[in-house]
Amino acid sequence: FLEVGAFGMQTRGVDSVYALDKYTDTGVDTQYELPLGSNLLALHAMYQHEDQNYGHFDPTAGTGSGVPYNQKDHLNGVHVDGVMHFSHTYEVALGYDTWSGSGDPNLYAWGDGVTNQVGKPDTNYWTVDVSYLPWENTKLGVQYVDYTKYVGSTTDMSYDNNLFLYGWFVW
């Protein structure tokens, strides 16, 4: 089974100073599924591009102020993962995400020694997920996110890593 798709969205919002911001996202995604007896291997990939147009920006605002320095910015993201489904009861997944984009020192730079000081949104991380499906519509799992880069910095990444225990109950 092979699937290829495209997606897009445009939204406008009012920021804290009542100026109109506009975000436009476009992307493509794909999924491949390979049955292996009672098991299933699923592979996914996605590319996303986002254009950001800020109604209020201030090149004189301080670093890390949260007020955009640029009138326009952009982000690019790539996600790939593989999920092995075992007999409709267990799942093991490994994924990788990478994000990059235009530099904006007011949005992405903080001088705290942990995050970057050059103002780039560049972020990379691995995700490992193990889950148990005891019955239909229920999923229990543990997920670990391991950052190799966070908003441009590769220093002390263990502070940004996450461990999640979760339960999904869907009806």
Side-chain angles (χ1 to χ4, degrees), residues 50-168:
E50 179 177 272
D51 286 316
Q52 305 157 340
N53 189 342
Y54 303 110
H56 178 253
F57 62 101
D58 187 355
T60 65
T63 298
S65 66
V67 176
Y69 179 88
N70 302 326
Q71 183 176 8
K72 295 181 180 185
D73 284 321
H74 72 274
L75 287 172
N76 296 304
V78 174
H79 169 85
V80 293
D81 73 49
V83 182
M84 189 68 191
H85 304 266
F86 296 97
S87 300
H88 306 287
T89 306
Y90 299 97
E91 296 176 345
V92 176
L94 176 65
Y96 181 74
D97 288 80
T98 182
W99 290 90
S100 63
S102 53
D104 195 315
N106 291 357
L107 293 179
Y108 302 113
W110 299 273
D112 62 5
V114 176
T115 53
N116 77 74
Q117 297 181 28
V118 296
K120 296 289 268 181
D122 302 352
T123 299
N124 305 327
Y125 57 92
W126 290 91
T127 303
V128 177
D129 190 291
V130 178
S131 56
Y132 171 58
L133 297 86
W135 52 85
E136 189 175 346
N137 301 330
T138 303
K139 184 176 183 178
L140 307 171
V142 59
Q143 182 182 88
Y144 184 71
V145 179
D146 182 26
Y147 286 89
T148 56
K149 182 187 280 187
Y150 185 71
V151 287
S153 176
T154 56
T155 306
D156 295 327
M157 290 296 89
S158 62
Y159 291 113
D160 295 305
N161 296 343
N162 297 287
L163 178 67
F164 298 97
L165 297 174
Y166 64 87
W168 290 359

